[in-house]
Amino acid sequence: MPRAKTGKPETDKKINDLFDEWSEQCHVDGATNFYGLCYILARSMVTDGEQFVRRRRRRIEDGLAVPLQLQLLDSEFCDWGKTTVVGAAEIIGGIEYDVIGRRRGYWMFPRHPHGRTAKAEAVVSSFVPADDIAHAFEPLANQTRGVPWLAPVMTELKDLRDYELAENIRKKVEACHVGVVRPKLGDIDPNVGLTETPGSNSALRDIYGNPVDRMEPGMFAIASDGADITFNNPAISAGVEAYIRTRHRSIAAGARQPYELMTGDFSQANFASGQLGLLDYQRFISSIQWHYLIPQVMHRMYGWFLQAGRENGKIPLNLKVVVEWQPPEFEKINRLDDARADLLEVRMGKRSMPEIIAKTGRDPATVVAENDDFFQMVDKTKSKLVLDADPRKVSINGQAQAANQVDKGDGGAAGS
């Protein structure tokens, strides 16, 4: 969540309120709001390796909070096949660079090139300036385009899928073939429809006398070489679960995710091991948020918002606005321990209360104002309510706080 910082609380509130209003209108087709758009960006980085956001300028008379909307573009919108040299510029995978290696723009298709509604002009890409595009991806070395996070384990995923398919087919075959009936030679069974004579060499048939050319669930096959029933004995699939779990752990490591989160299998995890795995994963997610998503996309989108706000006169032209971003808080299983740790860190000066509040996605100034209004309302009640949640009157142990009193004898203040 972004928070404007101008040094003036009233101005900050106006800009934040303007952004909150625009965030509900920012998506081109109205399918989601600004925060849903951020979720799609993060998800696409995993599944597709990258995602593009294009700035769409709007007219003042369109009635938006600011004349701006955002369009999400899949990886296929950028012309992968366009790699060439044009004068002093170089185009690599649909991205154009200038002489010193800065991104000048992107060659984008007007429609999805593989969409059902794609027309003839959709196969022709056109140049879009870099100022109008935000490109979210995880660059590795000199990489210019994103790669899906599951790319390193694609072979393992296919092998595991083939194994599960083969095991599934084996189970189906075992379920189809229940057994073989072997009637006496020469017997006539009107229910079976077989008439056997000594020396005959008939094929394997079903109970209706038809030759067996395929297996069906629960079927018996009829043979003609004796009076007996032989039942199928399915083999026990030993080690399947252990094998699949081992492959899942390898895939989770390649995808940089904890095994428990990827599979939803917590059967072999305890509290300590689960917390340890989540701590490492949280560090990884934080690095993605602060090193890629925020500088690549969030800052640029907020800059577009400020520019559009200045263009329609809702943000002063000469006003310097600094934005602070606060990613969502990582929830813990034991919230009480986390709350105690936050309280101790604030009391020892390691962290500030605004930082603790901002982690929840709330504006600290708004939270303080809400608490002030609430406790004033409580103080005005006829019964003079005293709530355990009121730190002015009740300690954390549930004891009443003594009001500060001034001792007129020595001029000192009495203990609270």
Side-chain angles (χ1 to χ4, degrees):
M1 295 188 67
R3 293 298 173 194
K5 298 294 181 181
T6 62
K8 301 177 181 179
E10 294 183 358
T11 304
D12 294 344
K13 185 178 185 306
K14 291 181 180 179
I15 297 177
N16 292 333
D17 291 344
L18 180 65
F19 181 87
D20 292 340
E21 180 184 358
W22 172 77
S23 66
E24 301 297 328
Q25 310 167 343
C26 68
H27 201 226
V28 168
D29 59 5
T32 184
N33 56 14
F34 178 81
Y35 303 104
L37 182 146
C38 295
Y39 168 77
I40 297 174
L41 278 172
R43 180 184 176 89
S44 297
M45 283 186 64
V46 179
T47 58
D48 303 337
E50 62 184 354
Q51 183 80 353
F52 297 93
V53 183
R54 183 172 181 179
R55 172 169 59 172
R56 292 294 189 177
R57 294 179 173 88
R58 301 304 186 210
R59 297 175 297 181
I60 302 296
E61 54 268 24
D62 288 337
L64 301 174
V66 296
L68 169 69
Q69 284 189 313
L70 305 175
Q71 181 183 13
L72 289 174
L73 301 176
D74 295 338
S75 175
E76 290 83 358
F77 274 89
C78 190
D79 191 352
W80 276 89
K82 198 170 188 63
T83 300
T84 184
V85 177
V86 181
E90 185 179 21
I91 304 176
I92 302 175
I95 304 176
E96 185 169 328
Y97 299 86
D98 61 13
V99 179
I100 60 176
R102 295 176 302 184
R103 298 194 177 199
R104 292 182 51 186
Y106 299 79
W107 289 84
M108 311 294 291
F109 293 112
R111 296 176 182 268
H112 198 292
H114 306 301
R116 295 179 59 185
T117 59
K119 298 181 180 179
E121 65 270 16
V123 299
V124 180
S125 59
S126 58
F127 180 80
V128 178
D131 291 340
D132 290 339
I133 296 290
H135 185 195
F137 75 110
E138 184 184 6
L140 301 175
N142 295 323
Q143 188 173 305
T144 60
R145 301 289 300 268
V147 176
W149 289 11
L150 293 179
V153 293
M154 291 298 293
T155 302
E156 290 196 56
L157 287 170
K158 184 180 183 303
D159 291 342
L160 180 59
R161 176 57 181 164
D162 291 342
Y163 173 81
E164 293 177 343
L165 181 61
E167 187 66 23
N168 191 33
I169 293 176
R170 186 176 70 85
K171 286 294 185 183
K172 287 183 177 180
V173 172
E174 291 177 349
C176 287
H177 186 199
V178 178
V180 177
V181 178
R182 302 178 183 274
K184 292 182 180 180
L185 296 177
D187 285 353
I188 299 176
D189 188 347
N191 295 321
V192 176
L194 290 177
T195 302
E196 295 295 342
T197 58
S200 64
N201 188 21
S202 60
L204 193 68
R205 298 177 181 273
D206 60 18
I207 60 174
Y208 303 105
N210 302 314
V212 174
D213 57 356
R214 61 189 300 270
M215 293 292 184
E216 295 181 358
M219 71 171 290
F220 276 90
I222 311 299
S224 59
D225 57 351
D228 191 11
I229 297 178
T230 302
F231 289 96
N232 184 31
N233 295 319
I236 300 176
S237 301
V240 174
E241 182 179 358
Y243 174 78
I244 293 178
R245 184 181 290 116
T246 301
R247 299 305 295 268
H248 278 166
R249 293 187 186 279
S250 177
I251 293 171
R256 298 178 294 181
Q257 291 188 15
Y259 163 81
E260 291 78 12
L261 289 183
M262 189 189 77
T263 62
D265 178 17
F266 292 87
S267 60
Q268 296 183 339
N270 54 36
F271 182 82
S273 64
Q275 286 291 322
L276 185 62
L278 288 178
L279 284 176
D280 187 61
Y281 186 62
Q282 289 170 6
R283 295 189 190 99
F284 166 67
I285 293 299
S286 295
S287 66
I288 296 296
Q289 291 171 336
W290 289 105
H291 299 158
Y292 301 119
L293 282 175
I294 290 178
Q296 287 179 346
V297 185
M298 304 304 170
H299 276 321
R300 175 157 294 192
M301 291 192 298
Y302 199 84
W304 293 342
F305 161 75
L306 293 176
Q307 182 177 348
R310 294 186 176 101
E311 290 175 355
N312 71 343
K314 294 187 177 181
I315 298 177
L317 292 175
N318 57 350
L319 179 65
K320 182 180 179 180
V321 181
V322 177
V323 59
E324 291 184 358
W325 293 94
Q326 183 58 56
E329 181 181 14
F330 288 107
E331 297 183 4
K332 301 294 181 63
I333 298 176
N334 194 339
R335 294 182 58 192
L336 180 60
D337 290 343
D338 293 336
R340 289 171 175 168
D342 290 341
L343 180 60
L344 289 175
E345 289 181 346
V346 170
R347 291 185 64 85
M348 67 186 296
K350 183 179 179 180
R351 305 173 70 179
S352 66
M353 276 302 300
E355 179 187 356
I356 299 296
I357 296 175
K359 284 177 57 180
T360 65
R362 300 292 308 281
D363 184 5
T366 302
V367 173
V368 171
E370 289 178 355
N371 283 326
D372 186 48
D373 294 340
F374 175 73
F375 287 126
Q376 286 185 24
M377 180 175 60
V378 172
D379 292 340
K380 294 178 182 178
T381 57
K382 295 181 180 180
S383 58
K384 301 299 181 181
L385 289 174
V386 177
L387 304 178
D388 286 345
D390 190 349
R392 305 171 306 163
K393 300 179 180 180
V394 181
S395 68
I396 195 171
N397 296 322
Q399 299 175 349
Q401 299 274 28
N404 290 332
Q405 297 178 354
V406 178
D407 188 349
K408 296 182 180 180
D410 56 5
S416 59

